[in-house]
Amino acid sequence: MKKKWISIIMVIALIAGMAAGCGKKSEESKSGVTAKDNPTQDQSGQSENTPMGRYVEQTVALPEQMKEMNGDITGIALLRDEQGRKILYTLNILSGTYTGNILQEDGTWVQEDASWLTDSVGKAKGSIRRIEKGDDGSLFAVYYDDDYTHHIVKTMDGRTAEEVNIPDLASGGKDRVSCGWKIMESGDVLIAYMSNELVLYSGTDGSEIRKFEQGRADVDDVNDLLDVEGNRILTLNEDSNGFVVYDADTGKQVDMIVLEEKDYVEGIMRFSGLDAYLYLDSVGLRHMQAGGTIQETVIDGSLCSAGIPGIRGVSFLVGDNEDYYVLYSDDHDMQVAHYVYDANVATVPSVKMTIFGLETSDVIARAVGKYQIANPDVQIVYTTAEAEEGASTTADYIRALNTELLSGKGADLLVLDGLPVDSYIEKGVLTDLSDILKPMLDSGELLENIMNSYADQEGRMYGIPARFSVPILYGDGDVVKAISGLDTLQQYVQENPDSPFMLAGGKTFTYDELAKLLLSINYEEIVGDGSKLNKESVVKFLNTVQIAGNALGATVETEPLPPLTDEELKEWLASAAPYWAKMNFYMGAYPVRDHVAAADEMKGIDDLCYPTSIVSEYDKMISTVNGLFIPSGMIGVNSASGQSDMAKDFVKFLLSEEEQNTDLGNGFPVNAKSLDNWCGKVLDYSLGMSMNIDGEEIKIDAEPPTREEITQFIDMARELRIPLNIDRVFKEMILDEAKAFFAGSVTAEKAADAICTKANTYRAE
């Protein structure tokens, strides 16, 4: 297993706690004509004036053996050989053997022995990095050995392979790691290094010919951003916001392409003839002329797999008839998409549906992309408050949204995260979804504990989360129990004045950090049903934060973060503030000592690595928190929607096993079958962490959780029945007004008065 070592600064850690549908854009497409905009339509549902013609995405079925092996065969690369055949190279993870799969005209695959790979990379037990076609007509592969030394092997006949002799690769080791590899038409070899070097070597003796300047290459694979054609080299520019082209013979720059909308480039860049380039990223596929002044979007990423969160382009291939193939990786699955231009498909889908939320949810955005591919006549416009202008606070956004919704307007679907859901239900803004949810629940498709927590006494359900995370406390049992309540924490601190219940990891906590944690753990006790804040509950909360903070030596202000200057720290905190504001649980260094605990939020199987390892190695315990789960991707249908049936269909799709199987790292699935599938996940890496606690350097080896540990945790998650539905405005108001108390300028009673007055006025609106 590959071990990843992460050296962290605990200060930072603690502050945080693309079937069919791809558009070829034209000037006509900018008009935004849809069925809703123009009622004059033919029998196909298209308006007479609807612009026609765009690329459609067709799914190419994977080779049968990839389906039969249930993930044990993975796709490595999709390429064209010298004969023009399209080959999908696969690796059998269990046997270490490689296979070439030749795509036929009817969409089927014919297997071909790939002994040149099995007899070289396979026998060396190397970890494959790349399989590509060289510009000299060869096929080559890059792999690394146990010492992380990279090797290049190439074949000219497709049967036997020999290693390319590059002395610098053999001697580079860990100090000079290669991250990009190309073979020129001349047979010379181009290698990019993580040290931002780009070096051309002789294909004969491996000697260095010349070096070129390139931009940021601090990732371990830049091949997607590196290409060669003839004697030209395409690579990242110095600012990493575009590309430069070099003449390999002279070393001179001959062209530059800048992508002004990007801070840095990420995607796949390729030559497309002498004076043009193709660039594939989440925006879609763009065709660029030399000089970078003309950029045409050939395929619209908002309607295709390329723009779907969680899906990554692995290989990009130009077909024979102005068509394109892309090999995608989707979590642990692979898929091949074929893009073909269809003059009979509307440039813009004929039906529009809208979704609105405070901020972008990858779970919703992914479902939007997938739904559009499955329904090519539908365009879903997903907008968020964070992308709008004119409002400065969450409360401002919500007031503007409330005015729109109460006047019978607004998006067809609402992402309810952070919104006053109870108020919307009372005012009839949301549609009852029980007609689609109850059959899914009765069949066992959805998690009973999660779904039922959103049903009223008549069984009506107005908003449902797409995912949920699990807050945990882990460490020593007595401390875990104490932190679970306001009264118990006060009592524990009073009885153990000299025993800090959390490790700070090299910094002191702030009262604001403690307040965020304790507000989340005790939200229902403090806020109640949200109809009106109780002053006594708020006072108890404030006093508990102060008592706990005093025991930990908490500070009012965040300590400076060396070696940052005050101005650098201020800028960093300002940029990070929106992220930290969303965090509910993350507090305390890992509880490796006695009588301490830590709080964290489990959003996926990967998150279990450290908690389960510490439990087994240090004899600690893991506990869920007061039966709480944290919902995310909360979805509801606007009762004023003119697309109610389609909106409900989208909700069903969002909750389907197909869509819930993918792990995006932002919550567990609410689909019961998908959650069962997650129990069978196997993590193939381990983690290592070093941290400094009170001057002591502590190293933690974290092995992947066992299947038993995963199952035990999932069993706990199936028992959670209380959603932590935090009204973000309430949270901001409480935390903001509490600062004066923590600073000592007002009493707890006065701070509570200010909090209750402000919050209750907002609720009354």
Side-chain angles (χ1 to χ4, degrees), residues 433-618:
L433 301 176
S434 59
D435 58 330
I436 61 170
L437 297 176
K438 194 173 186 305
M440 298 176 74
L441 185 57
D442 291 344
S443 68
E445 187 175 354
L446 300 178
L447 291 173
E448 176 269 339
N449 62 310
I450 303 295
M451 296 296 111
N452 281 346
S453 66
Y454 289 93
D456 64 15
Q457 293 182 346
E458 286 74 34
R460 294 171 297 199
M461 292 177 276
Y462 295 91
I464 292 296
R467 299 291 171 107
F468 71 99
S469 56
V470 181
I472 65 167
L473 295 170
Y474 63 113
D476 284 348
D478 58 337
V479 185
V480 167
K481 181 180 179 179
I483 298 176
S484 298
L486 296 176
D487 291 328
T488 54
L489 182 56
Q490 284 196 31
Q491 181 179 349
Y492 181 86
V493 171
Q494 291 167 355
E495 294 176 354
N496 301 274
D498 300 320
S499 180
F501 58 91
M502 280 185 170
L503 296 175
K507 67 172 285 293
T508 57
F509 296 113
T510 65
Y511 289 102
D512 190 56
E513 291 167 354
L514 283 168
K516 288 179 182 179
L517 177 65
L518 297 182
L519 177 60
S520 298
I521 293 176
N522 304 279
Y523 188 75
E524 188 172 356
E525 179 182 351
I526 299 167
V527 177
D529 62 5
S531 60
K532 188 174 182 179
L533 282 180
N534 179 279
K535 178 181 175 180
E536 292 182 0
S537 297
V538 176
V539 169
K540 180 195 286 189
F541 161 67
L542 294 173
N543 285 329
T544 304
V545 174
Q546 185 180 57
I547 291 170
N550 292 343
L552 296 178
T555 60
V556 175
E557 300 293 337
T558 303
E559 293 180 341
L561 231 168
L564 299 180
T565 65
D566 288 343
E567 187 61 30
E568 289 172 328
L569 176 61
K570 182 178 180 180
E571 291 178 1
W572 183 84
L573 289 172
S575 65
Y579 173 74
W580 305 140
K582 302 171 191 175
M583 296 296 290
N584 291 312
F585 280 79
Y586 185 87
M587 190 76 179
Y590 295 98
V592 296
R593 293 184 175 176
D594 293 334
H595 306 298
V596 294
D600 210 340
E601 184 177 346
M602 301 293 99
K603 297 183 178 183
I605 301 301
D606 294 40
D607 291 341
L608 291 171
C609 288
Y610 283 112
T612 54
S613 294
I614 288 174
V615 166
S616 62
E617 185 175 349
Y618 293 92

Side-chain angles (χ1 to χ4, degrees), residues 417-419 519-520 523 584 723-731:
D417 295 347
L419 294 176
L519 177 60
S520 298
Y523 188 75
N584 291 312
L724 183 54
N725 293 319
I726 292 184
D727 184 315
R728 193 170 300 163
V729 175
F730 264 43
K731 180 179 179 179

Side-chain angles (χ1 to χ4, degrees), residues 353-357 361 363-365 367-368 380 382 411-419 421 424-425 430-433 436-437 446 451 454 461-467 631-638 646-655 660 670 725:
M353 185 166 66
T354 56
I355 303 178
F356 179 84
S361 162
V363 173
I364 304 299
V368 166
I380 301 178
Y382 179 20
D412 299 299
L413 289 137
L414 298 172
V415 182
L416 300 166
D417 295 347
L419 294 176
V421 181
Y424 289 170
I425 294 174
L430 300 176
T431 298
D432 176 19
L433 301 176
I436 61 170
L437 297 176
L446 300 178
M451 296 296 111
Y454 289 93
M461 292 177 276
Y462 295 91
I464 292 296
R467 299 291 171 107
S632 64
M634 282 281 295
I635 196 76
V637 176
N638 187 346
M646 185 182 298
K648 288 184 177 182
D649 189 58
F650 177 83
V651 173
K652 290 177 64 177
F653 178 81
L654 175 67
L655 304 179
Q660 294 263 313
V670 298
N725 293 319

Side-chain angles (χ1 to χ4, degrees), residues 323-459:
D323 56 328
Y324 308 95
Y325 294 85
V326 181
L327 173 64
Y328 290 109
S329 174
D330 185 1
D331 196 5
H332 295 290
D333 298 324
M334 310 297 295
Q335 63 186 63
V336 176
H338 185 201
Y339 297 103
V340 181
Y341 188 75
D342 190 335
N344 297 314
V345 175
T347 301
V348 177
S350 59
V351 180
K352 182 189 289 185
M353 185 166 66
T354 56
I355 303 178
F356 179 84
L358 287 179
E359 59 203 21
T360 301
S361 162
D362 282 351
V363 173
I364 304 299
R366 176 187 170 85
V368 166
K370 288 284 192 176
Y371 190 84
Q372 289 179 141
I373 293 173
N375 299 272
D377 292 333
V378 176
Q379 180 183 27
I380 301 178
V381 179
Y382 179 20
T383 58
T384 61
E386 62 187 1
E388 294 186 352
E389 298 180 357
S392 58
T393 68
T394 302
D396 291 333
Y397 286 129
I398 293 178
R399 289 189 184 98
L401 177 62
N402 291 347
T403 299
E404 186 177 41
L405 294 174
L406 292 175
S407 65
K409 301 177 182 179
D412 299 299
L413 289 137
L414 298 172
V415 182
L416 300 166
D417 295 347
L419 294 176
V421 181
D422 290 341
S423 177
Y424 289 170
I425 294 174
E426 292 173 10
K427 293 176 170 60
V429 169
L430 300 176
T431 298
D432 176 19
L433 301 176
S434 59
D435 58 330
I436 61 170
L437 297 176
K438 194 173 186 305
M440 298 176 74
L441 185 57
D442 291 344
S443 68
E445 187 175 354
L446 300 178
L447 291 173
E448 176 269 339
N449 62 310
I450 303 295
M451 296 296 111
N452 281 346
S453 66
Y454 289 93
D456 64 15
Q457 293 182 346
E458 286 74 34

